[in-house]
PDB file of all heavy atoms in Angstrom:
ATOM      1  N   ARG A  48      39.426 100.283  82.519  1.00 98.00           N
ATOM      2  CA  ARG A  48      39.451  99.645  81.191  1.00 98.00           C
ATOM      3  C   ARG A  48      40.829  99.026  80.958  1.00 98.00           C
ATOM      4  O   ARG A  48      41.848  99.668  81.203  1.00 98.00           O
ATOM      5  CB  ARG A  48      39.132 100.641  80.076  1.00 98.00           C
ATOM      6  CG  ARG A  48      38.737  99.947  78.776  1.00 98.00           C
ATOM      7  CD  ARG A  48      38.806 100.873  77.596  1.00 98.00           C
ATOM      8  NE  ARG A  48      37.765 101.884  77.546  1.00 98.00           N
ATOM      9  CZ  ARG A  48      36.635 101.767  76.856  1.00 98.00           C
ATOM     10  NH1 ARG A  48      36.369 100.669  76.188  1.00 98.00           N
ATOM     11  NH2 ARG A  48      35.780 102.766  76.827  1.00 98.00           N
ATOM     12  N   ASP A  49      40.794  97.789  80.521  1.00 98.00           N
ATOM     13  CA  ASP A  49      42.029  97.043  80.308  1.00 98.00           C
ATOM     14  C   ASP A  49      42.502  97.264  78.880  1.00 98.00           C
ATOM     15  O   ASP A  49      41.808  96.905  77.932  1.00 98.00           O
ATOM     16  CB  ASP A  49      41.739  95.557  80.574  1.00 98.00           C
ATOM     17  CG  ASP A  49      42.933  94.670  80.299  1.00 98.00           C
ATOM     18  OD1 ASP A  49      44.057  95.191  80.166  1.00 98.00           O
ATOM     19  OD2 ASP A  49      42.733  93.437  80.224  1.00 98.00           O
ATOM     20  N   GLY A  50      43.692  97.834  78.730  1.00 98.00           N
ATOM     21  CA  GLY A  50      44.197  98.135  77.387  1.00 98.00           C
ATOM     22  C   GLY A  50      44.999  97.008  76.751  1.00 98.00           C
ATOM     23  O   GLY A  50      45.246  97.037  75.548  1.00 98.00           O
ATOM     24  N   ASN A  51      45.446  96.020  77.536  1.00 98.00           N
ATOM     25  CA  ASN A  51      46.336  95.007  76.943  1.00 98.00           C
ATOM     26  C   ASN A  51      45.878  93.566  77.165  1.00 98.00           C
ATOM     27  O   ASN A  51      46.641  92.628  76.977  1.00 98.00           O
ATOM     28  CB  ASN A  51      47.771  95.189  77.456  1.00 98.00           C
ATOM     29  CG  ASN A  51      47.880  94.899  78.946  1.00 98.00           C
ATOM     30  OD1 ASN A  51      46.860  94.722  79.617  1.00 98.00           O
ATOM     31  ND2 ASN A  51      49.087  94.848  79.459  1.00 98.00           N
ATOM     32  N   GLY A  52      44.640  93.392  77.616  1.00 98.00           N
ATOM     33  CA  GLY A  52      44.076  92.040  77.658  1.00 98.00           C
ATOM     34  C   GLY A  52      44.557  91.162  78.804  1.00 98.00           C
ATOM     35  O   GLY A  52      44.334  89.956  78.772  1.00 98.00           O
ATOM     36  N   ASP A  53      45.185  91.735  79.837  1.00 98.00           N
ATOM     37  CA  ASP A  53      45.609  90.884  80.951  1.00 98.00           C
ATOM     38  C   ASP A  53      44.569  90.851  82.072  1.00 98.00           C
ATOM     39  O   ASP A  53      44.792  90.242  83.119  1.00 98.00           O
ATOM     40  CB  ASP A  53      46.978  91.324  81.500  1.00 98.00           C
ATOM     41  CG  ASP A  53      46.930  92.704  82.142  1.00 98.00           C
ATOM     42  OD1 ASP A  53      45.859  93.360  82.095  1.00 98.00           O
ATOM     43  OD2 ASP A  53      47.956  93.134  82.696  1.00 98.00           O
ATOM     44  N   GLY A  54      43.438  91.523  81.879  1.00 98.00           N
ATOM     45  CA  GLY A  54      42.356  91.457  82.865  1.00 98.00           C
ATOM     46  C   GLY A  54      42.390  92.569  83.907  1.00 98.00           C
ATOM     47  O   GLY A  54      41.545  92.614  84.797  1.00 98.00           O
ATOM     48  N   ILE A  55      43.372  93.460  83.784  1.00 98.00           N
ATOM     49  CA  ILE A  55      43.506  94.543  84.769  1.00 98.00           C
ATOM     50  C   ILE A  55      43.509  95.883  84.041  1.00 98.00           C
ATOM     51  O   ILE A  55      44.242  96.064  83.059  1.00 98.00           O
ATOM     52  CB  ILE A  55      44.825  94.381  85.566  1.00 98.00           C
ATOM     53  CG1 ILE A  55      44.873  92.983  86.206  1.00 98.00           C
ATOM     54  CG2 ILE A  55      44.958  95.473  86.625  1.00 98.00           C
ATOM     55  CD1 ILE A  55      46.144  92.695  86.966  1.00 98.00           C
ATOM     56  N   GLY A  56      42.714  96.803  84.523  1.00 98.00           N
ATOM     57  CA  GLY A  56      42.670  98.130  83.916  1.00 98.00           C
ATOM     58  C   GLY A  56      44.041  98.791  83.985  1.00 98.00           C
ATOM     59  O   GLY A  56      44.838  98.485  84.864  1.00 98.00           O
ATOM     60  N   ASP A  57      44.305  99.718  83.072  1.00 98.00           N
ATOM     61  CA  ASP A  57      45.654 100.306  82.983  1.00 98.00           C
ATOM     62  C   ASP A  57      45.579 101.700  82.352  1.00 98.00           C
ATOM     63  O   ASP A  57      44.502 102.162  81.938  1.00 98.00           O
ATOM     64  CB  ASP A  57      46.580  99.372  82.190  1.00 98.00           C
ATOM     65  CG  ASP A  57      45.913  98.846  80.920  1.00 98.00           C
ATOM     66  OD1 ASP A  57      45.213  99.650  80.268  1.00 98.00           O
ATOM     67  OD2 ASP A  57      46.048  97.650  80.601  1.00 98.00           O
ATOM     68  N   LEU A  58      46.750 102.348  82.285  1.00 98.00           N
ATOM     69  CA  LEU A  58      46.784 103.720  81.745  1.00 98.00           C
ATOM     70  C   LEU A  58      46.340 103.781  80.281  1.00 98.00           C
ATOM     71  O   LEU A  58      45.528 104.650  79.933  1.00 98.00           O
ATOM     72  CB  LEU A  58      48.179 104.335  81.935  1.00 98.00           C
ATOM     73  CG  LEU A  58      48.575 104.628  83.393  1.00 98.00           C
ATOM     74  CD1 LEU A  58      50.039 105.083  83.478  1.00 98.00           C
ATOM     75  CD2 LEU A  58      47.671 105.694  84.015  1.00 98.00           C
ATOM     76  N   VAL A 103      52.151  96.721  85.674  1.00 98.00           N
ATOM     77  CA  VAL A 103      50.802  96.236  85.375  1.00 98.00           C
ATOM     78  C   VAL A 103      49.942  97.372  84.786  1.00 98.00           C
ATOM     79  O   VAL A 103      49.035  97.132  83.988  1.00 98.00           O
ATOM     80  CB  VAL A 103      50.168  95.674  86.671  1.00 98.00           C
ATOM     81  CG1 VAL A 103      48.656  95.682  86.619  1.00 98.00           C
ATOM     82  CG2 VAL A 103      50.690  94.279  86.953  1.00 98.00           C
ATOM     83  N   TYR A 104      50.244  98.603  85.180  1.00 98.00           N
ATOM     84  CA  TYR A 104      49.427  99.745  84.731  1.00 98.00           C
ATOM     85  C   TYR A 104      50.000 100.457  83.509  1.00 98.00           C
ATOM     86  O   TYR A 104      49.340 101.303  82.921  1.00 98.00           O
ATOM     87  CB  TYR A 104      49.276 100.757  85.869  1.00 98.00           C
ATOM     88  CG  TYR A 104      48.489 100.227  87.050  1.00 98.00           C
ATOM     89  CD1 TYR A 104      48.909 100.458  88.350  1.00 98.00           C
ATOM     90  CD2 TYR A 104      47.320  99.501  86.850  1.00 98.00           C
ATOM     91  CE1 TYR A 104      48.181  99.970  89.436  1.00 98.00           C
ATOM     92  CE2 TYR A 104      46.595  99.006  87.918  1.00 98.00           C
ATOM     93  CZ  TYR A 104      47.034  99.246  89.216  1.00 98.00           C
ATOM     94  OH  TYR A 104      46.313  98.769  90.268  1.00 98.00           O
ATOM     95  N   SER A 439      37.485  94.173  79.346  1.00 98.00           N
ATOM     96  CA  SER A 439      38.745  93.480  79.047  1.00 98.00           C
ATOM     97  C   SER A 439      38.470  92.300  78.128  1.00 98.00           C
ATOM     98  O   SER A 439      37.381  91.712  78.163  1.00 98.00           O
ATOM     99  CB  SER A 439      39.351  92.966  80.354  1.00 98.00           C
ATOM    100  OG  SER A 439      40.404  92.067  80.103  1.00 98.00           O
TER     101      SER A 439
HETATM  102 CA1   CA B 629      45.906  95.623  81.610  1.00 80.60          CA
END
Side-chain angles (χ1 to χ4, degrees):
R48 197 196 288 264
D49 176 14
N51 66 351
D53 66 356
I55 305 178
D57 45 40
L58 292 173
V103 157
Y104 294 137
S439 168

